[in-house]
Amino acid sequence: MSSPELVLRVLRTQLRAAGITYKVLAERIGMSESSVKRMFGQHDMSLSRLALICKASGIAMEDVLRGAADITPHADTLTLVQEKSLVAHPRLLLVAICCLGHWSLEQVVETYALTQAECIGCLAELDRLGLIELKPLNRYSLRVSNAFHWLADGPVQQYFREYVVADYFSGHFDGAGETLMCIPARLSLSSAQELVQKIRQLAEELARLHQNDRRLAPVERDGFTLLLGFRSWEFAAFTALRRSTAPAAPGTPYQTGPRNR
């Protein structure tokens, strides 16, 4: 589906939600109903006409364009080569993460010890790598989907394990909107797979909230990070206490290993 088709698809959905028919729209913008139907049917609409329709309908054109961008097919991951390029230059990785958070160039420069020229250089490199599409006035749009995630055990995840995880878990997790849980369980493979699906749904919900809150002023938002892991695992110190001839009893703390499923 092309970009104009996506824009009109979103516009049509929002008009329907507002209870505005083609007939009502035609009256508001001074066109015949047949011309309006043809315009939507042929996906033929100028930007000025789109602005006129949005104004006459009480619909924010920004919401229409953002909605179209959100449903444009994008990749869920980068390639191995792309991730290696990011971790090879920590400042580039920093700007990449800021872009995933929809920071503007001005916000990055105000927050971190990067010059405007350095930040623009990073944006240009991220455009070359395919993470963003750099636009005039140093604005950009993401080339990855809302379901974007780093490669499993890829360069970025390895970098995070080495440098980020200890720093992340050094916090107390007692602030507003914070929590930390470690919950052991003994599950069948099918139950484990069901939970993985729910974790993915949670990630999608986080992406939705992140997208909605972009409308708020920067001072109304704070940076939160969700770090999730779910695996068959037993703490090494507990494994060392196992009897050599007997399996762990059902319900042993932190025992979720495959040997006793």
Side-chain angles (χ1 to χ4, degrees), residues 169-202:
F169 283 110
S170 66
H172 297 292
F173 293 85
D174 56 356
E178 297 182 356
T179 186
L180 175 64
M181 294 182 287
C182 183
I183 306 172
R186 295 179 61 80
L187 302 173
S188 65
L189 179 58
S190 62
S191 293
Q193 290 171 332
E194 179 181 343
L195 189 61
V196 168
Q197 182 59 37
K198 292 184 183 298
I199 289 173
R200 289 173 178 157
Q201 291 171 358
L202 176 61

Side-chain angles (χ1 to χ4, degrees), residues 30-90:
M31 292 179 64
S32 66
E33 183 179 357
S34 60
S35 295
V36 170
K37 289 181 178 178
R38 182 165 56 253
M39 182 170 56
F40 276 89
Q42 296 178 352
H43 308 115
D44 181 17
M45 184 182 297
S46 66
L47 193 59
S48 59
R49 180 77 70 184
L50 174 63
L52 175 63
I53 290 175
C54 288
K55 183 178 180 180
S57 308
I59 296 171
M61 188 167 75
E62 179 185 352
D63 290 344
V64 174
L65 296 177
R66 183 183 292 123
D70 289 345
I71 60 177
T72 301
H74 289 303
D76 291 340
T77 65
L78 298 179
T79 65
L80 182 64
V81 172
Q82 289 170 323
E83 285 202 4
K84 283 183 176 179
S85 297
L86 291 181
V87 299
H89 304 91

Side-chain angles (χ1 to χ4, degrees), residues 222-236:
D222 198 359
F224 286 84
T225 297
L226 177 67
L227 183 60
L228 287 172
F230 182 66
R231 57 175 289 212
S232 175
W233 170 78
E234 181 181 43
F235 184 37

Side-chain angles (χ1 to χ4, degrees), residues 208-219:
R208 183 189 68 79
L209 294 171
H210 171 74
Q211 184 71 19
N212 288 347
D213 286 356
R214 286 175 58 192
R215 298 178 175 85
L216 301 176
V219 295

Side-chain angles (χ1 to χ4, degrees), residues 86-121:
L86 291 181
V87 299
H89 304 91
R91 292 193 174 198
L92 183 62
L93 178 59
L94 166 64
V95 176
I97 292 173
C98 288
C99 287
L100 292 171
H102 299 281
W103 287 39
S104 67
L105 179 145
E106 293 78 14
Q107 288 174 312
V108 176
V109 173
E110 287 174 3
T111 305
Y112 297 105
L114 292 172
T115 66
Q116 186 178 59
E118 287 174 326
C119 193
I120 292 173

